[in-house]
């Protein structure tokens, strides 16, 4: 989703980018989206009773939690602030940290592969992929209202299908968040290394050498 910057980042700039990335991670961790979606009964119930109108009930994030999450999530998928997953992977490519470099690249490659995976259903005759659904929700109404996606978002979020598509969007975001969260401890170690190289006092943070891809 991003290309390497034309001008290499300085060590100080790398430090600030990794700090900002982790700060936004904490915003996600403290938000309401995570507990509302990472729950055993996350799903939808569809009522096909022939004597009643079709109804769909979603168990997941409420509208406010989704909107708040989208505002922060865009930091991790857009180039503007320089801390998208792909841009952070580029930072690691420029550092002499082979294990971290491999981990970062593996994470973003996995996200790209996942986003290009079919959802398993069609919308208006179009075979849907995770990336297509994610883009329409994020850039058609939640984080932005781009003209090329706004009408689709408004159409998709009306009627019984809205709850089903929103449920799938939540699932896509949940999987992406696990990959994003896998950077946290790695970033903490790299931040300490960069601070040391810049002659700055280290920050006291605990944690193991590696962190599983998990939000718990």
């Amino acid at each position: 989703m991003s290309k390497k910057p034309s001008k290499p980042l300085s060590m100080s700039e790398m430090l600030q980018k990794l700090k900002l990335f982790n700060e936004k991670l904490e915003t996600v961790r403290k938000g309401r989206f995570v507990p509302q979606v990472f729950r055993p009964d996350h799903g939808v119930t569809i009522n096909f009773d022939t004597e009643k109108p079709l109804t769909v009930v979603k168990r997941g994030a409420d509208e406010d939690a989704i909107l708040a999450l989208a505002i922060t999530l865009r930091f991790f998928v857009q180039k503007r602030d320089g801390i998208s997953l792909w841009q952070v992977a580029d930072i690691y490519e420029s550092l002499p940290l082979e294990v971290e470099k491999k981990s970062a690249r593996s994470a973003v490659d996995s996200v790209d592969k996942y986003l290009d995976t079919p959802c398993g259903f069609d919308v208006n005759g179009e075979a849907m992929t995770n990336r297509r659904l994610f883009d329409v929700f994020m850039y058609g109404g939640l984080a932005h209202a781009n003209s090329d996606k706004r009408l689709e978002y408004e159409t998709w979020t009306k009627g019984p299908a809205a709850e089903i598509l929103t449920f799938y969007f939540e699932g896509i975001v949940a999987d992406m968040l696990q990959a994003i969260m896998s950077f946290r401890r790695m970033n903490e170690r790299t931040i300490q290394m960069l601070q040391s190289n810049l002659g700055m006092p280290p920050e006291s943070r605990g944690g193991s050498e590696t962190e599983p891809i998990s939000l718990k």
Side-chain angles (χ1 to χ4, degrees), residues 21-121:
F21 187 102
N22 277 17
E23 288 172 10
K24 295 304 176 183
L25 280 185
E26 287 305 303
T27 300
V28 171
R29 287 164 62 90
K30 294 175 181 177
R32 294 167 54 219
F33 181 90
V34 170
Q36 290 182 0
V37 171
F38 285 78
R39 50 190 276 190
D41 66 339
H42 181 237
V44 291
T45 298
I46 305 175
N47 180 10
F48 291 103
D49 192 327
T50 56
E51 298 180 357
K52 298 179 181 179
L54 175 69
T55 60
V56 180
V57 178
K58 178 177 68 71
R59 297 175 301 281
D62 59 41
E63 183 177 1
D64 288 344
I66 292 173
L67 287 172
L69 182 281
I71 296 302
T72 304
L73 182 63
R74 63 184 179 180
F75 282 91
F76 303 117
V77 297
Q78 296 179 178
K79 296 191 296 183
R80 189 184 69 175
D81 298 287
I83 62 166
S84 75
L85 275 177
W86 297 264
Q87 289 168 310
V88 170
D90 289 342
I91 288 175
Y92 279 102
E93 287 287 348
S94 66
L95 293 171
L97 303 170
E98 294 306 315
V99 173
E100 288 81 358
K101 184 183 302 184
K102 183 178 180 180
S103 295
R105 185 54 55 190
S106 176
V108 297
D109 287 347
S110 295
V111 169
D112 273 324
K113 182 178 180 180
Y114 172 73
L115 287 173
D116 290 330
T117 300
C119 294
F121 59 84

Side-chain angles (χ1 to χ4, degrees), residues 136-189:
V136 169
F137 268 76
M138 281 290 289
Y139 304 116
L142 296 180
H144 295 283
N146 295 355
S147 58
D148 61 330
K149 296 179 176 64
R150 180 64 183 173
L151 181 59
E152 287 180 305
Y153 175 77
E154 291 179 341
T155 302
W156 290 9
T157 52
K158 293 178 180 178
E163 295 292 274
I164 298 174
L165 293 176
T166 302
F167 163 73
Y168 273 95
F169 172 74
E170 290 176 4
I172 292 168
V173 171
D175 286 334
M176 292 178 67
L177 285 179
Q178 292 187 73
I180 293 167
M181 190 57 64
S182 72
F183 279 77
R184 184 168 67 99
R185 293 270 173 81
M186 182 168 70
N187 284 352
E188 288 176 355
R189 298 194 302 272

